[in-house]
Structure formats: structure tokens, C-alpha cells
Amino acid sequence: MNVAADIKMQFLFHLRSKGVMDTRVLTAMEHIDRAAFLKGLFRDRAYEDVPLAIGCGQTISQPSIVAIMTEALDVQPRHKVLEIGTGSGYQAAILSRLGRRVYTVDRFKRLVSEAEEVFKALNLTNITAVTADGSHGLPEQSPFDRILLTAAAEDPPSTLLAQLRIGGIMVLPVGQSDAVQRLIRVTKTETGYDYEELRTVRFVPLLEGIGQD
Ligand code: SAH
């Protein structure tokens, strides 16, 4: 077996050891090369289970957390998905293999255009990346079947909950940026919302406005 295949097998084994069992999620993570979303020396560390710097003071998430969040989101082939916090574009790329269409929003124009380049190179044609303050969502494209936040909010933003279809699911880290945050799953029902706590996590905060880079 060549070294790259061996590293990939270990990577998938590691994701399974973290409790990720959904074969669609594991297959998506097998096909999307995390190295494509990293630069320079960080590329060599793509298959380590750690967050890594991507510019604009932001990070690409730890792969096991990407896998856990993706599994919790339960994306189906016909789904329209919104991600807040494009960052490197890695999470959006994984989502694009599971759903019909992915909208991803980041407050940094530079991150959005770099992610777009990678989507093009990988021929991922069902992703639309937008530079905007994601806390407003994308009302013109709503409702969404699934919404994923990859930056921590103090509470589930009501504007985003309003853009979720009934029966839809939103997964997000909730809590103060300098404290332990909880990953929660919100399901929108006919009468309100069901909340479920999944685990503790640590994400950069959801910030207001457009970034200066
Ligand atoms: N999902 C990314 C990692 C996200 S890091 C990946 O796969 O690489 C969190 C991202 O959220 C950062 O890029 C940050 O700029 C973005 N962010 C923070 N607040 C935001 C907001 N209000 N609107 C849009 N993006 C935001």
C-alpha cells in the first residue's frame, strides 16, 4: 500500500474511533482531500486531527469535529444546506457531497475567494460562497433543510432559526468564545424547537459585520 493510502486509512479509522459511523459521512471525508484547503507547511499536517491556521486569523476545524458535526446534521441528497463560517471551505466541500446544494457564508472576502478557487479545482459545482455577515443568514435562499454554524454563537440566532424549514435541523456551537462551548442540535417542529446537547467543543466566535481582509 502506498503511504498516502495508508495515511487515509488511518484517518478514517481515527474518525470511526471518535464514534462517527455514518458511511456517507466517512466516504465524503475519504474523497475530499483536506490538504487541498491548506497552504505551505500546513499541507503536510492535513491528516492530523488538529485545527490549523488558514489566514485572516482563522482556522480549519479539526477533522473529527467536522465529521461529528456533519453526522449530527444528517444531510440527505435532496437537501439545501447553509453553512455559516466558510473558513477554508473544507466543511462546505464535505457537505456538498452529501446534499443537493450548499450555500456557505464568511465575513472575510479573502477566505471566500480562496475557498471558491479550491471548489473550482476540485470540480465541486454545487457550492455557492458568499461574503456577508452570516448572522443574517441568506433570506433570499431560505428556507434551508439544514443549517450549520462553524463559529460559536451565544444563543442560536433567531434570524437563522427562522430560515430553517419545518422538520429542518441546525447544528451549532453555543457559548462564550473564551469558555467551553456546547455543540447543540436544534430541530424545528410544527410547534417550536427541540434542543439536544451533543458534546463540548471550542470554536472561534461568530463576529458581527464584514472582516477587513
Ligand atoms: N468551516 C471552516 C472553519 C470555520 S472557522 C472550515 O471548514 O475551514 C470559523 C469561520 O467563521 C471563520 O472563517 C470566520 O471568519 C467565520 N465567521 C465568524 N463570524 C462570522 C459571521 N458573522 N458571518 C460569517 N462568517 C463568520
Side-chain angles (χ1 to χ4, degrees):
M1 193 186 307
N2 66 35
V3 177
D6 190 34
I7 288 173
K8 224 160 207 181
M9 228 177 74
Q10 282 177 30
F11 178 69
L12 294 172
F13 185 76
H14 176 74
L15 297 180
R16 279 200 207 94
S17 79
K18 293 283 176 174
V20 179
M21 295 298 161
D22 187 329
T23 48
R24 291 183 64 233
V25 173
L26 292 167
T27 305
M29 295 200 57
E30 184 181 356
H31 283 98
I32 301 291
D33 184 10
R34 189 169 181 248
F37 298 87
L38 291 164
K39 288 195 187 126
L41 289 173
F42 288 124
R43 284 193 154 213
D44 298 339
R45 302 185 57 194
Y47 287 89
E48 291 177 28
D49 195 16
V50 290
L52 296 165
I54 54 167
C56 300
Q58 305 302 317
T59 53
I60 183 171
S61 309
Q62 207 178 324
S64 60
I65 296 293
V66 170
I68 287 164
M69 289 176 88
T70 308
E71 186 171 54
L73 201 61
D74 188 28
V75 179
Q76 299 299 317
R78 295 181 62 82
H79 282 170
K80 179 161 76 168
V81 184
L82 173 65
E83 179 199 23
I84 307 301
T86 312
S88 67
Y90 178 60
Q91 172 76 74
I94 306 284
L95 295 172
S96 80
R97 288 196 57 107
L98 299 169
R100 180 173 56 82
R101 175 144 283 281
V102 175
Y103 292 88
T104 181
V105 181
D106 205 287
R107 54 192 291 280
F108 285 108
K109 191 167 183 284
R110 176 147 78 89
L111 295 179
V112 167
S113 42
E114 287 176 0
E116 280 177 320
E117 289 300 315
V118 186
F119 300 150
K120 207 183 287 172
L122 300 183
N123 200 24
L124 303 172
T125 53
N126 62 339
I127 310 175
T128 304
V130 180
T131 308
D133 178 350
S135 48
H136 305 301
L138 285 180
E140 63 282 10
Q141 301 298 343
S142 71
F144 296 96
D145 301 288
R146 298 290 186 262
I147 300 179
L148 179 64
L149 271 78
T150 60
E154 290 190 14
D155 290 298
S158 54
T159 320
L160 295 180
L161 288 172
Q163 292 176 27
L164 200 56
R165 196 187 294 285
I166 289 173
I169 295 173
M170 176 156 116
V171 171
L172 76 160
V174 167
Q176 307 284 339
S177 60
D178 53 354
V180 172
Q181 304 150 0
R182 289 160 301 127
L183 187 67
I184 64 166
R185 173 165 53 196
V186 187
T187 306
K188 189 168 185 166
T189 67
E190 296 275 357
T191 50
Y193 298 96
D194 288 341
Y195 295 87
E196 206 182 327
E197 265 190 49
L198 304 176
R199 51 168 291 146
T200 56
V201 283
R202 203 179 162 85
F203 275 85
V204 297
L206 188 72
L207 298 172
E208 278 179 27
I210 299 291
Q212 293 307 308
D213 205 336

